[in-house]
Amino acid sequence: RIELRPGCLHVPGYLDREAQEALVADLRRIVEAAPFFTPRMPRTGRPFSVRMTNCGPLGWVSDAAGGYRYVATHPETGAPWPPMPALVLQAWRELAPAAAPAEACLVNHYLPQARMGLHRDEDEEDMTAPVVSLSLGDTAIFRIGGTGRRDPTFSIRLKSGDALVLGGQSRLAFHGVDRIVAGSSTLLAGWPPGGGRLNLTLRRVSRTE
Ligand code: MD3
Ligand code: FE
């Protein structure tokens, strides 16, 4: 466990290969029930290069008309999000032991050409709970800075099986994915089509009493 900056904990190899394979099998079933969709920027409708789905009581979505928000149902099928698998619930208990139960697990799929620009996660009401990220498949060159857009940044490689816990002073830090290292993992050779990288972000959304 490596504290990269206050509140930003990197856990290389948190999931062993067997757990990674089991989680991919869980995700395959989740995506059968809740297919990947292409989120779009508020107002402009510009598509993200990352495709997304969710599991858990709430899911993060974005489109031109409604903007960024958490909703209980899939934007295209209208069905409730599938439940979080046991491995995801266990990761939240282990990595965010002081937080209320996770409500949203966003699943991001990066084909090798996909990126995620520098942004802050500020659509949640409860900013006291950390965000937990689990990486599967190809390595990501991940960038993180401070709470100001112009603060200095640094990059780290997030490999298959790594966890990242973003809490405290890092909860509102700018971050993004500069690029995916194509062919760096064999984990996603069978699924999803095109391979690449899957990232799960586990979040508490609502405040508790
Ligand atoms: C740092 N996802 O879904 S996960 C996102 O790899 C997102 O898919 C990236 O940023 C991905 O919003 C990064 C690591 C992460 C997640 C949340 C954070 C880093 C964070 C919240 C605050 C600071
Ligand atoms: Fe983010």
Side-chain angles (χ1 to χ4, degrees), residues 35-40 46-52 62-63 75-76:
F36 285 117
F37 62 92
T38 299
R40 293 177 175 275
R46 184 169 191 259
F48 284 57
S49 63
V50 180
R51 294 191 312 150
M52 301 182 176
S62 180
D63 53 39
E76 291 169 1

Side-chain angles (χ1 to χ4, degrees), residues 8 50 52 106 108 110 116 119-121 131-135 140 142 144 158 164 166 170-177 197 199-201 203:
C8 177
V50 180
M52 301 182 176
L106 174 64
N108 293 334
Y110 295 77
M116 189 176 288
H119 68 279
R120 301 201 305 181
D121 292 12
V131 176
V132 170
S133 146
L134 301 174
S135 291
F142 171 76
I144 182 160
L158 288 179
L164 201 59
L166 289 307
S170 291
R171 180 61 183 79
L172 285 169
F174 277 87
H175 61 278
V177 173
R197 171 173 182 260
N199 182 78
L200 284 68
T201 49
R203 295 184 171 86

